[in-house]
Amino acid sequence: MSDPSAASRPVQAVVLAGGQGSRLRPYTDDRPKPMVEIPGTGTPIIGHQLSWLAEEGVTDVVVSCGHLAEVLQKWLETADLPVSVTTVVESEPLGRGGGLKYAAAHLPRPDQPWYATNGDIWTRFSLRDMADFHTERDALATLALARPRLPWGAVKTDGFGRITDFIEAPPSTFEINAGVYVFSPEFAGLLPDRGDHERTTFPRLARERKLAGFTIPQGSYWRAIDTAKDLTEAAKELAALGR
């Protein structure tokens, strides 16, 4: 029996892979951030992302390249990929929103919804569930939300200022933008040609109640790979998960 909601789930995606990755040096001295390998996996971050997108029903991906684009393009041309990949490179810096709009213009189905993900995110959760959530709320854009662990220990105190407990790396009390999105077809037309959509398009959609937030389910894996410490921690966590 066919799933009626499957028709509204994206089969195309944009991966934003143009970041400099300066905080990941020396790993990013000779490769862009998404090409950095998580120790023990033998696969760059973008390889994990493309596998995940394929598992979630995506067939076509546009990869937006920037820093050391030729290194990423060469890997994509030679790797055995589970999806059809097109690469685009901005001829001049367009900003996050402009870059996203430029990449979206190369999607094969402009009249259909699409996913997007930042190129430095290592995660696993159901994009199909997120797409259904997006449709149910009649949103133009849906952000995945994560509750990351703080890099510091925390303390609990009682009403008299006495410390009652120590908590190592507790989860944040706030949800953050997890760098994974579902967009309706019309969303691309709302993006700026240049500039940052998170300061223009997203606030506008929030005011119009057209921006939704999908909390990544508890127990699902999520980590942004920003520093060498993140690489080490991801390797430990993935080994514990048996991945």
Side-chain angles (χ1 to χ4, degrees):
M1 187 174 171
S2 62
D3 182 352
S5 57
S8 60
R9 292 174 188 155
V11 294
Q12 55 186 356
V14 168
V15 175
L16 298 169
Q20 292 261 349
S22 54
R23 290 198 294 163
L24 262 174
R25 287 181 178 147
Y27 296 100
T28 50
D29 283 346
D30 61 353
R31 67 194 64 193
K33 200 174 181 184
M35 281 299 299
V36 172
E37 292 182 10
I38 295 171
T41 68
T43 305
I45 297 167
I46 194 166
H48 293 287
Q49 290 186 322
L50 295 176
S51 295
W52 175 50
L53 290 168
E55 289 164 10
E56 294 295 325
V58 171
T59 57
D60 295 273
V61 176
V62 175
V63 177
S64 178
C65 309
H67 174 64
L68 296 174
E70 65 281 358
V71 178
L72 178 51
Q73 288 173 317
K74 185 175 180 182
W75 183 82
L76 290 168
E77 286 166 9
T78 56
D80 182 16
L81 301 176
V83 291
S84 175
V85 172
T86 302
T87 60
V88 298
V89 182
E90 298 167 28
S91 56
E92 56 183 325
L94 299 173
R96 290 195 295 179
L100 187 58
K101 186 173 190 173
Y102 180 70
H106 294 79
L107 288 166
R109 302 171 185 86
D111 59 338
Q112 293 183 20
W114 46 293
Y115 298 116
T117 180
N118 295 345
D120 58 357
I121 300 298
W122 209 121
T123 187
R124 282 289 188 281
F125 65 91
S126 174
L127 283 174
R128 291 180 173 92
D129 287 350
M130 185 176 171
D132 293 346
F133 178 95
H134 172 83
T135 301
E136 287 160 7
R137 277 144 190 83
D138 193 28
L140 285 177
T142 296
L143 286 60
L145 304 177
R147 204 181 288 273
R149 291 200 164 273
L150 299 176
W152 316 281
V155 295
K156 278 189 175 179
T157 58
D158 63 17
F160 297 98
R162 290 185 290 249
I163 292 174
T164 59
D165 199 6
F166 290 88
I167 308 161
E168 188 61 34
S172 167
T173 54
F174 294 100
E175 292 180 315
I176 65 164
N177 179 351
V180 181
Y181 312 90
V182 182
F183 296 133
S184 295
E186 313 93 282
F187 177 77
L190 303 176
L191 286 165
D193 293 326
R194 290 174 180 274
D196 189 349
H197 61 294
E198 295 196 10
R199 297 185 179 186
T200 55
T201 311
F202 279 174
R204 173 185 160 192
L205 291 180
R207 288 192 298 270
E208 295 172 358
R209 299 293 188 266
K210 289 291 187 179
L211 187 67
F214 175 82
T215 300
I216 294 175
Q218 193 169 2
S220 298
Y221 188 78
W222 180 89
R223 180 178 279 276
I225 309 295
D226 285 322
T227 65
K229 185 180 179 186
D230 289 324
L231 279 176
T232 306
E233 294 294 321
K236 283 185 199 167
E237 290 161 356
L238 295 174
L241 291 168
R243 291 179 183 172

